Amino acid sequence: GKNLIGVEMSKNLDTVKKYFKYCVDGKDVERVAEFFADDVVVHRPDCPAPIVGVEPFKQALRLNVTERYDSIETTFQKEVVAGDVVVVALMHHAKGSNTWHGYDVSGKDLAWSALTYFRFNAQGKVVEEIVERNELFMARQLGIFTDGI
């Protein structure tokens, strides 16, 4: 019935929040496999091609997130749950970055917004993630681009 669908949907949102809490903010990259399917496809702005598979995703997460900042804190602005999809609008507050797109930005703090799309399989694991974020806003904070551009 309808309630069962509601339970599945809220479980998916819970999975998304746990992923950010434990794997991103908590930097426990190994736990990714609890939340993502083995054959997950991930689209990220800091990766030129889609990442396919949980192991390559762990590597990308380490490289682009957990080893790049001293700490990250994620807060959720909006949550949309529809069928097997969860979309969250969120803010990341990162402290002590080191590099960003090849630029040395050591020690700088950074905040950025992102829209992240997650699609789930019947087992309640993420099979697709798409990250959209405000790259120009990030670059300006880091002093890479000035407003003249």
Side-chain angles (χ1 to χ4, degrees):
K2 195 168 162 40
N3 284 353
L4 185 64
I5 293 170
V7 167
E8 285 302 314
M9 283 163 70
S10 64
K11 209 185 280 179
N12 288 351
L13 179 59
D14 197 41
T15 296
V16 167
K17 292 194 159 180
K18 281 181 179 163
Y19 157 64
F20 284 107
K21 180 180 176 178
Y22 299 122
C23 303
V24 178
D25 298 11
K27 295 190 174 190
D28 190 351
V29 173
E30 285 308 310
R31 289 191 68 175
V32 160
E34 288 177 38
F35 312 116
F36 290 75
D38 288 343
D39 58 350
V40 66
V41 178
V42 179
H43 306 265
R44 292 183 57 89
D46 41 25
C47 300
I51 302 154
V52 181
V54 121
E55 288 305 320
F57 176 48
K58 284 182 193 173
Q59 288 168 13
L61 196 61
R62 279 195 191 96
L63 184 68
N64 294 302
V65 181
T66 62
E67 289 170 8
R68 181 158 289 179
Y69 307 104
D70 288 342
S71 70
I72 289 195
E73 186 191 343
T74 305
T75 52
F76 298 89
Q77 265 78 40
K78 289 192 169 57
E79 300 153 6
V80 181
V81 182
D84 59 356
V85 169
V86 172
V87 179
V88 286
L90 47 83
M91 281 292 297
H92 291 300
H93 291 269
K95 289 190 165 48
S97 42
N98 47 50
T99 60
W100 190 81
H101 284 289
Y103 291 92
D104 176 6
V105 293
S106 46
K108 294 201 178 180
D109 295 347
L110 188 59
W112 70 95
S113 57
L115 266 178
T116 309
Y117 163 101
F118 297 88
R119 189 164 55 82
F120 286 81
N121 62 17
Q123 287 73 48
K125 291 207 172 181
V126 177
V127 287
E128 185 180 23
E129 181 194 17
I130 304 169
V131 180
E132 284 289 341
R133 67 182 189 193
N134 192 332
E135 298 282 292
L136 186 58
F137 179 64
M138 294 177 82
R140 283 194 173 133
Q141 284 180 79
L142 293 169
I144 294 165
F145 295 116
T146 61
D147 285 335
I149 290 178

